[in-house]
Amino acid sequence: MTDHPLDQPLDHLLVESGGAESGPACERFVGDAVRLLQDGHRVVLFLVENGVTAAVPGASPRVATFLRDGGELWVDTFSAAQRALPAEDLLPGSRLADMDEVADRLLEPRLRAVWH
């Protein structure tokens, strides 16, 4: 007997556009990403627009937890540049990514995406 395909862990792409200064919703959303990791899913958290500020050390405790727990943190290259945030000012383990990479991920068959 084989496992049902929906019983297998999925890949998730969570997109945060608000950032820590937008209030507690960002931290709750990142908390969802942490829980998905803890449940065995592969998770990419993509920070875009004002969300990129959550990748600054000390700005979001849950983003640091997300990285520590094995999540992939992508920071939008354009949004970071617009906010004068070079890669060296971001959390260790995060990486700059372009929308082309996000678009490619969205085409993967077992990916679930949520934009916040």
Side-chain angles (χ1 to χ4, degrees):
M1 186 164 146
T2 61
D3 291 330
H4 188 278
L6 293 180
D7 293 335
Q8 302 301 314
L10 295 170
D11 284 351
H12 295 269
L13 172 64
L14 279 66
V15 181
E16 173 57 43
S17 61
E21 65 277 349
S22 66
C26 174
E27 287 294 293
R28 286 193 301 266
F29 188 70
V30 176
D32 292 340
V34 170
R35 283 186 289 285
L36 286 167
L37 283 172
Q38 292 169 346
D39 287 344
H41 299 279
R42 182 170 169 228
V43 182
V44 172
L45 178 61
F46 180 60
L47 303 177
V48 66
E49 299 173 357
N50 286 334
V52 299
T53 61
V56 173
S60 172
R62 286 202 176 146
V63 170
T65 299
F66 173 78
L67 279 168
R68 185 197 67 226
D69 288 354
E72 291 181 51
L73 182 63
W74 294 4
V75 179
D76 178 50
T77 303
F78 179 79
S79 298
Q82 291 296 306
R83 288 152 184 85
L85 289 173
E88 56 271 8
D89 287 352
L90 304 176
L91 286 165
S94 63
R95 73 173 185 85
L96 294 174
D98 294 318
M99 283 293 184
D100 290 348
E101 291 179 82
V102 174
D104 287 344
R105 273 321 268 286
L106 288 171
L107 297 174
E108 293 178 8
R110 294 201 33 86
L111 178 83
R112 299 283 169 96
V114 178
W115 193 295
H116 179 254

